[in-house]
Amino acid sequence: MKLAYLILAAAVSWLPATLAHASGQVEVLHWWTSSGEAKSVKVLKQMMEQQHHSWKDFAVAGGGGESAMTVLKMRAVSGNPPTAAQLKGHDIQEWGRLGFLTSLDDVALQENWDNVLPPVVANIMKYNHHYVAVPINVHRVNWLWVNPTVFKAAGATVPTTLAEFFVAADKIKAAGLIALAHGGQPWQDATLFESIALAVLGSADYRKAFVDLDMTVINSNKMVDVFKQFKRMKAYIDPEAGGRHWNSATEMVINGQAAMQFMGDWAKGEFAQVGKIPGKDYLCVPAPGTQHQFTFNIDSLAFFKLKGTEVDNIAQHDLAKTLLTPTFQKIFNLNKGSIPVRLDMDMSAFDQCALDSMQAFRQASLSGDLVPSFSQNLATTADVQSAIVDVVSEFFDQKDPDPKLAPSRLARAIKSAI
């Protein structure tokens, strides 16, 4: 995913804080820059400007947030953190421990967040039992995006298991078509690997491996099989995949250049931007072998302690409040392809992919099949996640890697990062 660094400009500091429409500063560090994401950011900008707060953009291209985190660390250490920054899971806790985050409890109480947010989500947004971050959505990562026209041309059937995937991919490849759209970036390799791991390991062992960091599971024969299945995927990816961005791979499925893509539901925003209709122009199905499982990711903004004026604090609280309003929740998630994080949302405007995702989310939360995504920085610390991604991507880039050796390498990398 690309990065964006949005800077929202200075407030008029001489305005008294008691003014009904005080103009304040907000500065948000994030990486929502694909077409669907950028449209949602534009709406957020408009909503903040309607509240008389200024907004200034500065986009930075990049991967899944690495460059954004480098900028954030530099700003925080220099004593000039942004109003809010896109942080997830363990990163929220780490910044909280370092004392950089501010409490949003007053906004949360006023807006009744404890009752409108799922507990699993609310807990991630809190440090030491205090709200310090705002969730914006819930992503399902274990999706397979399908172009049915390509499948029909190849005489292939949409797969529901890994075995069926390889049968379909072989037919598509034999027809002279690209079976799997992919971008050769480490985080995309990890996203593909993650869905295969979920299918092979099952929810319980997935959690043991990537949340609990259980070395018995990591070094198991089942993990060898994960790497075997992962290795097989390489044969169905075109040779031009190196460095390709995720949304460019999605465009390949949209345009019929490729049959399938493993990617989170942010990909749906790209289909929506060009007017494609789910169930007709494209299909959204669970990644093969993961029908009843849900690998979740949450986009969230953590809020930092500010040294600005009182109107800056007003603007910060207005931003926090705006992010969870039903209006923004609806617009953002319709554009981005995710589902709203509020439990009380009217879903009538959402398509079948979103309705299926919401149903799967609720069912998985009851069955124990709701697991955090390691590829999207939610399951473990940034250091461990980086170690896993490095091993996975290096394995995928090798000409003829040995799956039997990969689990021990993965174990060593994780141990060094703990």
Side-chain angles (χ1 to χ4, degrees):
M1 289 175 284
K2 298 180 182 179
L3 306 172
Y5 178 39
L6 299 176
I7 302 177
L8 308 159
V12 183
S13 59
W14 50 265
L15 283 176
T18 54
L19 285 180
H21 298 298
S23 177
Q25 299 175 339
V26 284
E27 183 179 10
V28 180
L29 181 66
H30 74 98
W31 54 93
W32 293 316
T33 55
S34 73
S35 57
E37 294 167 339
K39 185 176 180 180
S40 297
V41 171
K42 183 178 180 180
V43 171
L44 180 58
K45 171 186 175 181
Q46 292 171 345
M47 293 179 75
M48 293 305 297
E49 289 176 342
Q50 287 169 3
Q51 298 174 69
H52 303 278
H53 303 304
S54 56
W55 183 282
K56 182 180 178 181
D57 290 345
F58 176 46
V60 179
E66 296 87 353
S67 298
M69 291 304 97
T70 300
V71 172
L72 178 60
K73 290 172 184 176
M74 292 173 60
R75 290 286 305 275
V77 170
S78 68
N80 183 33
T83 305
Q86 189 176 350
L87 293 176
K88 299 178 183 180
H90 289 262
D91 286 341
I92 294 173
Q93 301 305 307
E94 182 62 25
W95 284 96
R97 281 191 292 270
L98 293 172
F100 284 99
L101 302 184
T102 189
S103 172
L104 300 173
D105 285 347
D106 52 348
V107 179
L109 182 63
Q110 179 185 357
E111 298 297 310
N112 200 28
W113 287 358
D114 277 341
N115 289 323
V116 300
L117 294 177
V120 66
V121 174
N123 290 337
I124 294 173
M125 299 302 114
K126 296 177 181 179
Y127 172 70
N128 199 20
H129 307 294
H130 297 286
Y131 279 100
V132 293
V134 181
I136 304 169
N137 60 357
V138 174
H139 278 296
R140 189 182 192 182
V141 182
N142 59 311
W143 280 117
L144 182 72
W145 304 92
V146 173
N147 185 312
T149 301
V150 177
F151 266 76
K152 184 177 180 180
T157 302
V158 177
T160 61
T161 67
L162 281 175
E164 291 176 0
F165 171 87
F166 293 115
V167 171
D170 282 336
K171 286 186 177 182
I172 294 165
K173 187 176 181 180
L177 303 168
I178 298 172
L180 186 58
H182 187 69
Q185 296 176 321
W187 76 267
Q188 292 190 63
D189 296 339
T191 301
L192 174 59
F193 179 88
E194 178 177 270
S195 285
I196 297 169
L198 185 62
V200 174
L201 297 177
S203 302
D205 280 349
Y206 171 97
R207 190 178 292 108
K208 288 179 182 178
F210 302 114
V211 179
D212 302 335
L213 307 180
D214 185 327
M215 291 299 155
T216 301
V217 177
I218 291 171
N219 281 301
S220 68
N221 288 331
K222 289 178 73 174
M223 189 64 75
V224 172
D225 192 33
V226 172
F227 278 97
K228 284 182 179 178
Q229 305 305 321
F230 183 51
K231 176 183 177 180
R232 292 180 67 185
M233 293 285 174
K234 194 67 176 282
Y236 305 104
I237 298 170
D238 69 287
E240 306 300 321
R244 179 185 291 141
H245 292 295
W246 70 267
N247 49 321
S248 296
T250 305
E251 288 176 9
M252 294 173 64
V253 179
I254 292 173
N255 298 330
Q257 295 173 268
M260 297 174 280
Q261 181 189 22
F262 286 82
M263 188 53 61
D265 55 16
W266 49 89
K268 191 181 69 172
E270 302 305 298
F271 287 93
Q273 283 296 300
V274 292
K276 299 299 183 181
I277 301 172
K280 177 186 176 184
D281 301 312
Y282 69 97
L283 306 178
C284 50
V285 298
T290 70
Q291 279 75 7
H292 305 295
Q293 297 159 291
F294 195 113
T295 315
F296 73 94
N297 180 35
I298 301 171
D299 283 323
S300 55
L301 293 181
F303 283 68
F304 285 73
K305 293 178 180 177
L306 301 179
K307 295 181 180 179
T309 63
E310 180 61 27
V311 289
D312 294 337
N313 292 322
I314 293 172
Q316 185 180 56
H317 282 196
D318 284 347
L319 175 62
K321 188 184 302 183
T322 300
L323 291 169
L324 268 179
T325 59
T327 298
F328 183 70
Q329 283 279 299
K330 177 181 177 180
I331 293 170
F332 183 89
N333 287 287
L334 283 174
N335 287 333
K336 200 165 190 289
S338 47
I339 56 176
V341 72
R342 294 181 64 113
L343 292 171
D344 59 349
M345 283 290 296
D346 176 5
M347 295 290 291
S348 60
F350 288 81
D351 61 29
Q352 194 59 47
C353 293
L355 296 177
D356 290 346
S357 185
M358 181 65 81
Q359 182 180 9
F361 176 70
R362 290 170 176 166
Q363 290 178 344
S365 65
L366 296 175
S367 66
D369 290 310
L370 182 66
V371 298
S373 168
F374 81 77
S375 70
Q376 308 302 314
N377 299 1
L378 205 64
T380 186
T381 66
D383 288 342
V384 171
Q385 188 260 1
S386 180
I388 296 172
V389 171
D390 285 347
V391 171
V392 166
S393 187
E394 181 182 350
F395 175 89
F396 208 50
D397 286 341
Q398 292 175 6
K399 185 176 181 180
D400 189 23
D402 188 346
K404 293 181 181 179
L405 299 177
S408 61
R409 290 175 180 167
L410 181 61
R412 288 197 301 271
I414 290 174
K415 287 177 180 178
S416 69
I418 295 176

